[in-house]
Amino acid sequence: RYELAAHVLAQTVAGLGTEDAQRALRDTAREWGRRLAHEPSMSTRQTVPLKRAAHALEACGFEPRRAPDGEVLLGNCPFDALRAESCELICGMNLALIEGLLSGLELNEVQAKLAPRPGMCCVALRARGGD
């Protein structure tokens, strides 16, 4: 029952209420993101950095969509059930995971940022320095 374990862990970390605990969670999430970057499902022939990032996030269960302003929005949050318990904690973990994935893929041209929107994931991607 992985979801139960996830709820227990998220509630515990959120309950600690310390910056050290949240920083440790973000550091661990970044490391897991870097690990994800080396999975076979991440390979693509795509050379455009933002499109490579979207491919990787789709392989991770996100639903990337290109917005009119050029950003890549994520149409769902794989951690939605946990987010309701502690939005700040789970969204911070999610951002760190995606940052780690981008780092592991050496996509330095792509920036992940918190950009909560109703009905969507709290993270959005954009090309550094514009589109």
Side-chain angles (χ1 to χ4, degrees):
R1 298 192 52 192
Y2 295 110
E3 188 172 335
L4 174 60
H7 283 283
V8 169
L9 290 168
Q11 188 173 358
T12 300
V13 173
L16 291 172
T18 67
E19 183 58 36
D20 288 343
Q22 292 182 10
R23 186 179 8 262
L25 176 63
R26 289 190 304 267
D27 289 348
T28 302
R30 270 190 205 89
E31 177 56 34
W32 274 97
R34 286 190 280 279
R35 289 181 189 183
L36 285 172
H38 299 290
E39 291 185 356
S41 61
M42 297 299 145
S43 72
T44 180
R45 293 178 185 233
Q46 186 56 250
T47 59
V48 177
L50 209 49
K51 289 183 180 181
R52 280 187 61 212
H55 168 82
L57 290 168
E58 186 172 25
C60 290
F62 292 92
E63 296 173 357
R65 302 174 184 161
R66 189 74 179 235
D69 65 0
E71 284 189 326
V72 172
L73 306 177
L74 304 175
N76 71 322
C77 175
F79 312 114
D80 192 48
L82 294 173
R83 186 181 66 195
E85 284 182 36
S86 179
C87 187
E88 182 180 341
L89 180 72
I90 299 305
C91 291
M93 178 195 76
N94 191 18
L95 175 62
L97 180 75
I98 292 171
E99 289 172 339
L101 178 65
L102 296 174
S103 173
L105 293 169
E106 298 180 1
L107 290 173
N108 301 324
E109 310 91 339
V110 179
Q111 178 182 20
K113 64 176 185 167
L114 286 177
R117 292 174 174 87
M120 302 191 80
C121 177
C122 61
V123 178
L125 306 178
R126 68 173 175 210
R128 290 189 190 273
D131 193 282

